[in-house]
Amino acid sequence: MNRLDGLEIPWWRRGVVYQVYLRSFADSNGDGTGDVNGLRSRLPYLADLGVTALWITPWYRSPMADGGYDVADYRDIEPCFGTLADAEQLISDAHDQGIRIIADLVPNHTSTEHDWFKQARTAPIGDPSRDRYHIRDGKGADGAEPPTDWTSVFGGSAWTRLPDGQWYLHLFAREQPDLNWGNAEVRAEFESIFRFWLDRGVDGFRIDVAHGLVKDPTFPDVGAAPEILVSANVPDHPFWDRDGIHEIVPSWRAIVEAYDGYRILVAEAWVRPERLPLYLRPDEYHQSFNFDLLKAPWDAARLRAVIDDGVKAAAAVGSTSTWVLSNHDVMREATRYGLPADVNWRTWPVTGPAELLDEAAGIRRARAAALLMLALPGSAYIYQGEELGLPEVCDLPTDVLDDPVWERSNHTQRGRDGSRVPLPWDRSKPAAGFGSAPAWLPQPEGWGELSVAAQREDPDSTLQLYRAALALRRRHGVDDETLDWLDTDPGTVAFRRGSGLRCVANLGPEPIELPEHAEVLLTSSGLTPSGRLGTDDAAWLL
Ligand code: GLC
Ligand code: CA
């Protein structure tokens, strides 16, 4: 029997999705960059880990100005990642192992090397090919000032001037011109791209920058101080979270629904919590990442509030919550949770001081957070290396930094490369088993100690914790979508699932007694000699 079929509950409502940052996962041909065949060779590892699906970051043809989020051709694979045939083989191999594939689609912008932009750049002013992007006159007597004060998410102006004097909009790097979603050709093209990949068997799409597609057609100034890598959370913002977005998504949903077998749309929407359910309405996205868990500090009251809001908001629109502790855009949680709650982890790698970091607390909390997240109703996303407890690499030499944020922020932020260092598979092999050549970002000393092979031997490793948690999650009560809070100490986060599974996390300063239970199923770091749950530890009970 096909293991993908016969589920009564659509897989995505409770699935565990593993995020593959392709160029840092596994390198099959020794060029230092991870690729599709490297991922194919590691499918047995992912099947053994017990994940439901993979989300693969963009693999399309790209000059890689933003790690592939600058797409030159949406219907072909970037040669450094492999070929279209490799991708088709991957989809088929994954399906054979019971793993689904979510592609990462980037509709907000293309690459400047996309045919459309090459055409628009050289076309005469007013040519229809220019209307696929946001290309406008500047301000000031000779149009020498940008059309608005909008700033790029990566820092600096969001406008770049063309040789003919007009300006084009790019909410990200200058190599990523924003598409005009008011243009009918843009809409039709993406409908065709969806079908292209659905026909090749993908089970869903993660939609990049889902909250940025629509711009205020009057192009007003924002008038606020810019922030790097933060989406403003104000009502009626000229380019974030505009209502017009919801006129676009239903046509995508209809396309996806027309295919068999529970194909899905997942939104990357950094919006205010009360706006998130709008993206989850029955004719829009199936899932939208709940970034509030990721953003919350290690604080019991804050975590309880975020979880409670997330569960209720998703239920109100018939969806389930989509939990995330980390991804390729944020500091890895084993480091994030080691910093004091009031420290800005985006700037800390530049500003320090280094002494603020408590590495031991960070990894301990990350392990407890994993048990917390994996016990919640809904689905959960795991970012590659999270299951190994990898830390952020905060001291990459600045000359290897690849993320445009480092330059565009005028070196006030190192950017996101520290979470993208290629995975360690085996300490006895070159590049810690990532591939036969040095990896595209240098792996730090001792990286191999954190490798899959090393952690497989160690029953107390983070990898074994994740494996056990995923196996138990399948066995104990993820069929229901309810959560009841347990009446415990304010320093704890403790709840019960409909199946009887209980999760208790202790964020307080002292060890606590476990609530009455028949069995301790799993703990993040063991119990104290007197059987209590220590600070920064979590347990699953029956
Ligand atoms: C999303 C991606 C990020 C990328 C940006 C621009 O936020 O997750 O990595 O830089 O979109 O495409
Ligand atoms: Ca390679």
Side-chain angles (χ1 to χ4, degrees):
M1 192 181 92
N2 182 345
R3 278 191 282 161
L4 297 176
D5 292 333
L7 293 179
E8 280 177 31
I9 299 170
W11 63 275
W12 55 268
R13 291 188 78 90
R14 60 183 187 195
V16 174
V17 183
Y18 185 96
Q19 182 194 348
V20 174
Y21 190 71
L22 195 56
R23 64 174 170 163
S24 300
F25 189 73
D27 172 18
S28 71
N29 62 347
D31 64 358
T33 297
D35 45 55
V36 174
N37 284 335
L39 171 55
R40 268 179 65 206
S41 73
R42 300 291 181 183
L43 285 174
Y45 166 74
L46 297 164
D48 174 69
L49 185 59
V51 301
T52 318
L54 307 180
W55 149 29
I56 304 171
T57 51
W59 53 10
Y60 318 102
R61 200 175 269 273
S62 164
M64 304 288 280
D66 181 24
Y69 284 94
D70 47 321
V71 179
D73 181 351
Y74 292 86
R75 294 185 184 80
D76 200 6
I77 298 289
E78 165 54 31
C80 77
F81 292 143
T83 63
L84 190 54
D86 295 338
E88 287 170 346
Q89 193 61 51
L90 172 84
I91 295 167
S92 145
D93 289 0
H95 287 170
D96 285 346
Q97 309 215 22
I99 297 175
R100 297 178 189 254
I101 297 290
I102 297 175
D104 197 331
L105 196 60
V106 189
N108 182 66
H109 43 263
T110 67
S111 161
T112 41
E113 293 304 306
H114 190 282
D115 280 347
W116 272 5
F117 193 75
K118 289 200 271 190
Q119 205 184 334
R121 181 167 45 196
T122 51
I125 292 176
D127 189 81
S129 68
R130 289 204 157 194
D131 187 55
R132 296 168 181 148
Y133 294 90
H134 295 288
I135 302 182
R136 307 178 66 78
D137 288 330
K139 277 189 188 153
D142 54 358
E145 289 162 42
T148 67
D149 67 351
W150 300 4
T151 54
S152 151
V153 175
F154 297 159
S157 173
W159 298 95
T160 290
R161 203 167 193 194
L162 291 169
D164 61 27
Q166 284 203 311
W167 299 74
Y168 70 89
L169 175 70
H170 53 87
L171 294 184
F172 295 87
R174 70 169 65 216
E175 295 87 353
Q176 294 167 296
D178 278 52
L179 285 164
N180 172 13
W181 275 86
N183 178 292
E185 275 183 282
V186 170
R187 294 193 184 210
E189 172 67 355
F190 273 86
E191 293 186 0
S192 151
I193 294 166
F194 275 115
R195 291 199 177 94
F196 179 90
W197 289 102
L198 288 163
D199 288 341
R200 277 161 186 76
V202 305
D203 301 282
F205 300 92
R206 177 259 190 196
I207 303 295
D208 190 60
V209 200
H211 58 309
L213 296 186
V214 174
K215 281 78 183 177
D216 184 336
T218 67
F219 286 84
D221 279 345
V222 174
E227 278 189 279
I228 294 170
L229 289 176
V230 176
S231 302
N233 267 339
V234 296
D236 201 26
H237 190 279
F239 51 88
W240 293 135
D241 191 25
R242 297 192 62 79
D243 289 336
I245 290 169
H246 304 291
E247 289 158 25
I248 298 169
V249 187
S251 66
W252 302 350
R253 174 75 180 239
I255 291 171
V256 168
E257 292 289 334
Y259 284 77
D260 59 347
Y262 298 126
R263 319 258 185 134
I264 67 164
L265 295 171
V266 187
E268 185 217 15
W270 296 83
V271 299
R272 286 173 287 140
E274 66 272 25
R275 298 277 295 179
L276 204 60
L278 298 177
Y279 291 77
L280 294 171
R281 288 176 290 192
D283 61 344
E284 297 204 17
Y285 290 93
H286 298 78
Q287 306 190 314
S288 187
F289 297 122
N290 181 330
F291 290 123
D292 297 308
L293 180 66
L294 178 158
K295 289 192 274 186
W298 190 245
D299 172 272
R302 294 282 292 278
L303 289 175
R304 277 198 305 269
V306 159
I307 292 169
D308 203 50
D309 289 350
V311 171
K312 286 183 184 147
V317 282
S319 184
T320 56
S321 205
T322 303
W323 307 104
V324 188
L325 290 174
S326 77
N327 61 35
H328 65 296
D329 292 328
V330 301
M331 176 180 268
R332 283 192 177 274
E333 71 267 41
T335 304
R336 210 171 68 220
Y337 288 140
L339 290 170
D342 58 348
V343 167
N344 177 345
W345 45 261
R346 293 250 185 232
T347 49
W348 174 81
V350 172
T351 60
E355 305 77 67
L356 288 182
L357 177 64
D358 181 342
E359 283 178 40
I363 180 66
R364 196 175 188 110
R365 291 170 181 168
R367 291 169 61 115
L371 289 199
L372 200 58
M373 173 173 81
L374 292 172
L376 292 173
S379 71
Y381 278 62
I382 297 173
Y383 174 46
Q384 69 180 40
E386 190 173 325
E387 81 280 20
L388 304 176
L390 293 187
E392 182 82 1
V393 180
C394 297
D395 58 356
L396 286 167
T398 54
D399 61 334
V400 304
L401 293 180
D402 183 68
D403 185 354
V405 169
W406 169 243
E407 290 303 335
R408 293 194 63 99
S409 74
N410 289 324
H411 301 180
T412 58
Q413 293 192 22
R414 292 176 69 92
R416 300 160 294 173
D417 291 318
S419 66
R420 302 172 175 180
V421 174
L423 287 193
W425 291 94
D426 187 338
R427 67 185 137 186
S428 66
K429 300 226 170 105
F434 171 70
S436 57
W440 70 276
L441 277 176
Q443 298 160 307
E445 277 291 308
W447 204 232
E449 304 307 311
L450 299 167
S451 66
V452 171
Q455 297 206 27
R456 239 188 221 136
E457 306 300 309
D458 175 2
D460 295 329
S461 68
T462 304
L463 176 59
Q464 298 297 14
L465 179 71
Y466 269 83
R467 284 185 71 230
L470 292 180
L472 286 167
R473 182 183 157 102
R474 283 193 298 278
R475 222 176 312 143
H476 294 282
V478 285
D479 287 357
D480 77 295
E481 293 175 354
T482 61
L483 172 152
D484 293 310
W485 293 105
L486 298 179
D487 189 14
T488 49
D489 188 88
T492 64
V493 181
F495 54 87
R496 182 181 192 283
R497 298 291 307 281
S499 66
L501 176 76
R502 280 171 300 164
C503 176
V504 183
N506 178 13
L507 288 77
E510 303 291 338
I512 56 164
E513 294 295 338
L514 288 173
E516 233 175 272
H517 57 273
E519 193 186 340
V520 177
L521 292 173
L522 189 61
T523 62
S524 58
S525 306
L527 297 174
T528 67
S530 59
R532 299 199 293 171
L533 185 67
T535 295
D536 295 334
D537 289 345
W540 284 6
L541 313 170
L542 271 188

